[in-house]
Amino acid sequence: MDKKELINCGKVKSVYNSTNDDEVIIEFRDDMTAGDGERKEVMNNKGAYNAIISSKIFKVLEENGIETQFIDLPEPNVMIAKKLEMIPIEVIVRNIATGSLIRKYPIADGKRLNPPIVQMDYKDDEYHDPMLNDSIIKALGIATQEEIDILTEKALKINEVLTAFLKDAGIILVDFKVEFGKDKDGNILLGDEISPDGCRLWDSQTLDMLDKELFRKGKDSEVMDAYIEVYNRIIPDDEKVI
Ligand code: 5GP
Protein backbone atom coordinates (compact mmCIF):
# COMPACT_ATOMS: atom_id res chain seq x y z
CA MET A 1 0.00 0.00 0.00
CA ASP A 2 1.48 3.18 -1.20
CA LYS A 3 0.27 6.44 0.37
CA LYS A 4 0.52 9.46 -1.91
CA GLU A 5 -0.56 12.94 -1.01
CA LEU A 6 -2.98 13.80 1.78
CA ILE A 7 -6.24 14.89 0.16
CA ASN A 8 -8.34 15.46 3.27
CA CYS A 9 -7.48 15.76 6.94
CA GLY A 10 -10.71 15.43 8.91
CA LYS A 11 -11.23 15.54 12.67
CA VAL A 12 -10.48 11.83 13.15
CA LYS A 13 -9.50 10.44 9.74
CA SER A 14 -6.92 11.32 7.10
CA VAL A 15 -7.60 10.47 3.47
CA TYR A 16 -4.71 9.89 1.05
CA ASN A 17 -4.58 9.38 -2.67
CA SER A 18 -3.60 5.86 -3.71
CA THR A 19 -1.49 4.74 -6.66
CA ASN A 20 -4.83 3.50 -8.03
CA ASP A 21 -6.80 6.59 -9.13
CA ASP A 22 -10.15 4.98 -8.30
CA GLU A 23 -9.17 4.30 -4.70
CA VAL A 24 -8.26 6.21 -1.55
CA ILE A 25 -6.42 5.21 1.62
CA ILE A 26 -8.23 6.18 4.81
CA GLU A 27 -6.22 6.33 8.01
CA PHE A 28 -8.32 6.20 11.19
CA ARG A 29 -6.42 8.24 13.77
CA ASP A 30 -6.63 7.90 17.57
CA ASP A 31 -8.22 11.35 17.95
CA MET A 32 -11.60 11.79 19.56
CA THR A 33 -13.47 15.07 19.29
CA ALA A 34 -16.71 16.60 20.49
CA GLY A 35 -18.53 19.90 20.10
CA ASP A 36 -17.66 20.44 16.40
CA GLY A 37 -14.01 19.68 17.21
CA GLU A 38 -13.77 22.10 20.15
CA ARG A 39 -12.71 19.33 22.56
CA LYS A 40 -10.09 16.84 21.42
CA GLU A 41 -8.30 13.94 23.14
CA VAL A 42 -6.15 11.06 21.95
CA MET A 43 -7.44 7.58 22.85
CA ASN A 44 -5.04 4.67 22.52
CA ASN A 45 -5.92 2.39 19.56
CA LYS A 46 -9.27 4.11 19.00
CA GLY A 47 -8.52 4.45 15.27
CA ALA A 48 -7.93 0.74 14.88
CA TYR A 49 -11.04 -0.28 16.83
CA ASN A 50 -13.19 2.06 14.73
CA ALA A 51 -11.63 0.94 11.44
CA ILE A 52 -12.17 -2.74 12.26
CA ILE A 53 -15.74 -2.20 13.53
CA SER A 54 -16.58 -0.06 10.50
CA SER A 55 -15.10 -2.58 8.05
CA LYS A 56 -17.09 -5.39 9.64
CA ILE A 57 -20.32 -3.39 9.45
CA PHE A 58 -19.65 -2.38 5.83
CA LYS A 59 -19.08 -6.05 4.95
CA VAL A 60 -22.35 -7.06 6.63
CA LEU A 61 -24.18 -4.31 4.72
CA GLU A 62 -22.59 -5.42 1.42
CA GLU A 63 -23.79 -8.99 2.12
CA ASN A 64 -27.26 -7.48 2.42
CA GLY A 65 -27.14 -5.61 -0.88
CA ILE A 66 -26.01 -2.17 0.31
CA GLU A 67 -23.06 -0.92 -1.69
CA THR A 68 -20.27 0.69 0.34
CA GLN A 69 -16.88 2.21 -0.42
CA PHE A 70 -15.05 -0.53 1.54
CA ILE A 71 -12.38 -2.51 -0.31
CA ASP A 72 -9.90 -3.83 2.26
CA LEU A 73 -8.35 -3.31 5.68
CA PRO A 74 -4.62 -3.92 5.13
CA GLU A 75 -3.66 -2.60 8.58
CA PRO A 76 -5.85 -2.38 11.70
CA ASN A 77 -6.33 1.38 11.29
CA VAL A 78 -6.01 1.73 7.51
CA MET A 79 -8.85 1.15 5.07
CA ILE A 80 -8.61 0.99 1.29
CA ALA A 81 -11.81 2.40 -0.15
CA LYS A 82 -13.38 3.36 -3.45
CA LYS A 83 -12.82 7.04 -4.16
CA LEU A 84 -16.09 8.95 -3.74
CA GLU A 85 -17.14 12.52 -4.16
CA MET A 86 -18.77 12.94 -0.76
CA ILE A 87 -22.20 14.55 -0.44
CA PRO A 88 -22.05 17.05 2.49
CA ILE A 89 -25.12 15.62 4.20
CA GLU A 90 -25.18 13.72 7.49
CA VAL A 91 -28.09 11.31 7.21
CA ILE A 92 -29.30 10.48 10.71
CA VAL A 93 -31.72 7.67 11.53
CA ARG A 94 -33.39 7.55 14.94
CA ASN A 95 -35.14 4.53 16.47
CA ILE A 96 -35.34 5.96 19.98
CA ALA A 97 -35.72 9.64 20.84
CA THR A 98 -32.74 11.17 22.63
CA GLY A 99 -29.88 13.62 22.03
CA SER A 100 -30.55 16.72 19.96
CA LEU A 101 -34.07 15.54 19.08
CA ILE A 102 -35.33 15.85 22.65
CA ARG A 103 -33.46 19.13 23.14
CA LYS A 104 -35.25 20.66 20.15
CA TYR A 105 -38.70 19.06 20.23
CA PRO A 106 -41.23 18.05 22.91
CA ILE A 107 -40.57 14.31 22.63
CA ALA A 108 -39.93 12.16 25.73
CA ASP A 109 -36.39 10.84 26.20
CA GLY A 110 -36.33 7.13 25.34
CA LYS A 111 -39.58 7.12 23.29
CA ARG A 112 -39.59 4.44 20.56
CA LEU A 113 -39.89 6.01 17.13
CA ASN A 114 -41.90 3.82 14.79
CA PRO A 115 -41.44 4.48 11.93
CA PRO A 116 -37.87 5.68 12.53
CA ILE A 117 -37.04 9.33 11.94
CA VAL A 118 -34.74 10.11 9.02
CA GLN A 119 -33.10 13.50 9.40
CA MET A 120 -30.55 15.26 7.23
CA ASP A 121 -27.99 17.73 8.59
CA TYR A 122 -25.66 19.93 6.57
CA LYS A 123 -22.09 18.73 7.23
CA ASP A 124 -20.39 22.00 8.09
CA ASP A 125 -18.74 22.68 11.47
CA GLU A 126 -18.71 26.44 10.85
CA TYR A 127 -22.52 26.41 10.68
CA HIS A 128 -22.76 23.68 13.40
CA ASP A 129 -24.32 21.05 11.10
CA PRO A 130 -27.79 22.67 10.78
CA MET A 131 -30.79 20.50 10.00
CA LEU A 132 -31.86 20.50 6.34
CA ASN A 133 -35.11 19.93 4.53
CA ASP A 134 -35.66 19.00 0.88
CA SER A 135 -36.07 22.64 -0.25
CA ILE A 136 -32.91 23.76 1.55
CA ILE A 137 -30.92 20.84 0.13
CA LYS A 138 -32.04 21.78 -3.38
CA ALA A 139 -31.42 25.50 -2.79
CA LEU A 140 -27.88 24.67 -1.63
CA GLY A 141 -27.49 22.55 -4.76
CA ILE A 142 -26.10 19.57 -2.84
CA ALA A 143 -28.60 16.92 -3.99
CA THR A 144 -31.58 16.51 -6.28
CA GLN A 145 -34.97 15.21 -5.13
CA GLU A 146 -34.14 11.85 -6.70
CA GLU A 147 -30.87 11.71 -4.75
CA ILE A 148 -32.62 12.73 -1.50
CA ASP A 149 -35.02 9.83 -2.02
CA ILE A 150 -32.12 7.43 -2.65
CA LEU A 151 -30.33 8.61 0.54
CA THR A 152 -33.52 8.12 2.57
CA GLU A 153 -34.16 4.65 1.15
CA LYS A 154 -30.56 3.53 1.69
CA ALA A 155 -30.43 4.92 5.25
CA LEU A 156 -33.61 3.03 6.19
CA LYS A 157 -32.27 -0.20 4.68
CA ILE A 158 -29.00 0.26 6.61
CA ASN A 159 -31.06 0.78 9.76
CA GLU A 160 -32.95 -2.49 9.18
CA VAL A 161 -29.82 -4.58 8.59
CA LEU A 162 -27.75 -2.96 11.33
CA THR A 163 -30.52 -3.13 13.94
CA ALA A 164 -30.80 -6.91 13.39
CA PHE A 165 -27.02 -7.44 13.31
CA LEU A 166 -26.45 -5.52 16.54
CA LYS A 167 -29.45 -7.11 18.26
CA ASP A 168 -27.69 -10.48 17.90
CA ALA A 169 -24.74 -8.91 19.75
CA GLY A 170 -26.98 -7.67 22.59
CA ILE A 171 -26.86 -4.06 21.39
CA ILE A 172 -29.74 -1.65 20.75
CA LEU A 173 -29.20 0.69 17.80
CA VAL A 174 -30.67 3.90 19.21
CA ASP A 175 -29.61 6.22 16.37
CA PHE A 176 -26.74 6.72 13.94
CA LYS A 177 -25.26 9.00 11.31
CA VAL A 178 -24.14 7.95 7.83
CA GLU A 179 -22.59 9.77 4.90
CA PHE A 180 -22.76 8.94 1.22
CA GLY A 181 -20.77 9.79 -1.86
CA LYS A 182 -20.77 9.28 -5.61
CA ASP A 183 -18.35 6.97 -7.40
CA LYS A 184 -16.87 7.79 -10.81
CA ASP A 185 -20.01 6.46 -12.54
CA GLY A 186 -22.32 8.62 -10.41
CA ASN A 187 -23.59 5.73 -8.26
CA ILE A 188 -24.42 6.67 -4.67
CA LEU A 189 -22.48 4.49 -2.20
CA LEU A 190 -22.24 4.45 1.58
CA GLY A 191 -18.97 6.09 2.59
CA ASP A 192 -17.16 7.41 5.66
CA GLU A 193 -17.59 5.02 8.61
CA ILE A 194 -20.13 3.38 10.86
CA SER A 195 -18.57 3.09 14.29
CA PRO A 196 -19.30 4.01 17.93
CA ASP A 197 -18.20 7.55 17.01
CA GLY A 198 -21.37 8.17 15.01
CA CYS A 199 -23.92 5.81 16.59
CA ARG A 200 -25.73 5.61 19.89
CA LEU A 201 -25.43 2.02 21.03
CA TRP A 202 -26.98 0.74 24.25
CA ASP A 203 -26.45 -2.59 25.95
CA SER A 204 -29.74 -4.50 25.51
CA GLN A 205 -29.82 -5.65 29.16
CA THR A 206 -28.41 -2.75 31.16
CA LEU A 207 -29.03 0.09 28.65
CA ASP A 208 -25.43 1.18 29.36
CA MET A 209 -23.95 3.44 26.66
CA LEU A 210 -21.35 1.82 24.40
CA ASP A 211 -20.43 4.80 22.22
CA LYS A 212 -19.03 8.32 21.95
CA GLU A 213 -21.84 9.78 24.04
CA LEU A 214 -19.66 8.83 27.06
CA PHE A 215 -16.99 11.22 25.78
CA ARG A 216 -19.57 13.93 25.06
CA LYS A 217 -20.65 13.57 28.71
CA GLY A 218 -17.05 13.86 29.95
CA LYS A 219 -16.72 10.18 30.96
CA ASP A 220 -13.43 9.92 29.06
CA SER A 221 -12.04 7.04 31.16
CA GLU A 222 -14.97 4.78 30.14
CA VAL A 223 -14.91 5.41 26.40
CA MET A 224 -12.35 2.90 25.19
CA ASP A 225 -13.77 0.08 27.33
CA ALA A 226 -17.12 0.70 25.63
CA TYR A 227 -15.59 0.63 22.11
CA ILE A 228 -13.67 -2.55 22.98
CA GLU A 229 -16.91 -4.11 24.25
CA VAL A 230 -18.58 -3.41 20.88
CA TYR A 231 -15.50 -4.82 19.09
CA ASN A 232 -15.52 -7.98 21.22
CA ARG A 233 -19.22 -8.56 20.63
CA ILE A 234 -19.34 -8.06 16.84
CA ILE A 235 -15.93 -9.26 15.65
CA PRO A 236 -15.58 -13.08 15.64
CA ASP A 237 -12.39 -14.36 17.33
CA ASP A 238 -10.80 -15.45 14.03
CA GLU A 239 -11.26 -11.91 12.64
CA LYS A 240 -9.76 -10.11 15.64
CA VAL A 241 -6.56 -8.38 14.57
CA ILE A 242 -5.85 -6.39 17.72
P1 5GP B 1 -27.78 14.02 17.73
O1 5GP B 1 -28.34 14.84 16.63
O2 5GP B 1 -28.84 13.47 18.64
O3 5GP B 1 -26.69 14.71 18.49
O4 5GP B 1 -27.05 12.76 17.04
C1 5GP B 1 -27.82 11.75 16.40
C2 5GP B 1 -26.89 10.61 15.99
O5 5GP B 1 -26.06 11.04 14.91
C3 5GP B 1 -25.93 10.15 17.09
O6 5GP B 1 -25.76 8.75 16.94
C4 5GP B 1 -24.62 10.86 16.77
O7 5GP B 1 -23.52 10.06 17.14
C5 5GP B 1 -24.69 11.02 15.27
N1 5GP B 1 -24.13 12.29 14.81
C6 5GP B 1 -24.77 13.44 14.54
N2 5GP B 1 -23.93 14.40 14.14
C7 5GP B 1 -22.71 13.84 14.15
C8 5GP B 1 -21.40 14.33 13.81
O8 5GP B 1 -21.19 15.49 13.42
N3 5GP B 1 -20.37 13.45 13.95
C9 5GP B 1 -20.55 12.17 14.38
N4 5GP B 1 -19.49 11.35 14.51
N5 5GP B 1 -21.77 11.67 14.68
C10 5GP B 1 -22.83 12.51 14.57
Side-chain angles (χ1 to χ4, degrees):
M1 184 199 36
D2 211 1
K3 273 190 214 163
K4 280 166 58 183
E5 89 233 58
L6 180 69
I7 44 179
N8 182 270
C9 187
K11 291 196 287 287
V12 299
K13 296 191 293 298
S14 302
V15 183
Y16 297 87
N17 261 333
S18 153
T19 42
N20 182 333
D21 284 344
D22 296 336
E23 297 177 1
V24 288
I25 296 164
I26 305 175
E27 179 194 4
F28 287 64
R29 306 194 311 271
D30 287 346
D31 299 323
M32 179 162 269
T33 70
D36 298 327
E38 276 166 24
R39 194 157 80 84
K40 180 174 157 180
E41 298 291 339
V42 174
M43 300 276 172
N44 195 28
N45 275 337
K46 182 238 175 192
Y49 284 111
N50 268 5
I52 299 164
I53 291 169
S54 198
S55 300
K56 176 69 184 177
I57 290 175
F58 277 18
K59 278 188 256 181
V60 169
L61 294 173
E62 291 270 358
E63 285 161 15
N64 285 276
I66 299 150
E67 264 198 288
T68 78
Q69 75 174 150
F70 176 78
I71 297 176
D72 193 17
L73 191 75
E75 291 173 33
N77 69 329
V78 177
M79 187 190 284
I80 311 280
K82 287 175 199 154
K83 186 184 261 181
L84 300 181
E85 189 190 325
M86 295 304 292
I87 301 167
I89 296 179
E90 297 186 341
V91 185
I92 293 166
V93 182
R94 298 177 190 271
N95 295 306
I96 296 178
T98 192
S100 70
L101 188 76
I102 60 162
R103 289 197 296 274
K104 290 178 185 163
Y105 303 95
I107 301 182
D109 194 5
K111 182 182 158 60
R112 272 256 158 219
L113 301 165
N114 198 7
I117 290 177
V118 180
Q119 172 191 332
M120 299 195 186
D121 288 359
Y122 185 39
K123 187 179 165 70
D124 192 311
D125 281 344
E126 195 187 328
Y127 288 87
H128 306 293
D129 300 347
M131 200 191 295
L132 298 163
N133 66 24
D134 291 6
S135 318
I136 299 174
I137 291 174
K138 284 178 267 183
L140 287 168
I142 49 182
T144 63
Q145 187 61 53
E146 192 194 350
E147 288 167 344
I148 295 168
D149 294 344
I150 292 172
L151 298 182
T152 305
E153 191 191 316
K154 284 185 186 283
L156 285 171
K157 175 78 180 163
I158 291 166
N159 186 43
E160 233 174 72
V161 173
L162 200 50
T163 295
F165 174 68
L166 292 171
K167 188 174 179 211
D168 289 344
I171 296 170
I172 299 170
L173 180 60
V174 175
D175 56 29
F176 63 97
K177 180 263 301 177
V178 279
E179 295 176 32
F180 296 87
K182 289 183 200 166
D183 70 9
K184 63 178 189 325
D185 302 317
N187 301 310
I188 294 181
L189 270 58
L190 174 65
D192 193 54
E193 67 181 299
I194 299 186
S195 74
D197 265 16
C199 302
R200 284 198 180 90
L201 307 170
W202 292 352
D203 181 283
S204 309
Q205 298 296 319
T206 63
L207 304 185
D208 283 348
M209 292 176 199
L210 298 171
D211 61 77
K212 196 173 108 170
E213 193 68 11
L214 290 164
F215 182 73
R216 296 191 190 102
K217 290 184 180 300
K219 297 182 178 175
D220 297 20
S221 62
E222 298 172 35
V223 174
M224 280 322 298
D225 285 348
Y227 281 44
I228 293 167
E229 182 66 27
V230 173
Y231 171 85
N232 281 330
R233 290 195 200 183
I234 72 169
I235 309 295
D237 284 344
D238 60 351
E239 291 175 30
K240 287 196 168 89
V241 290
I242 50 170

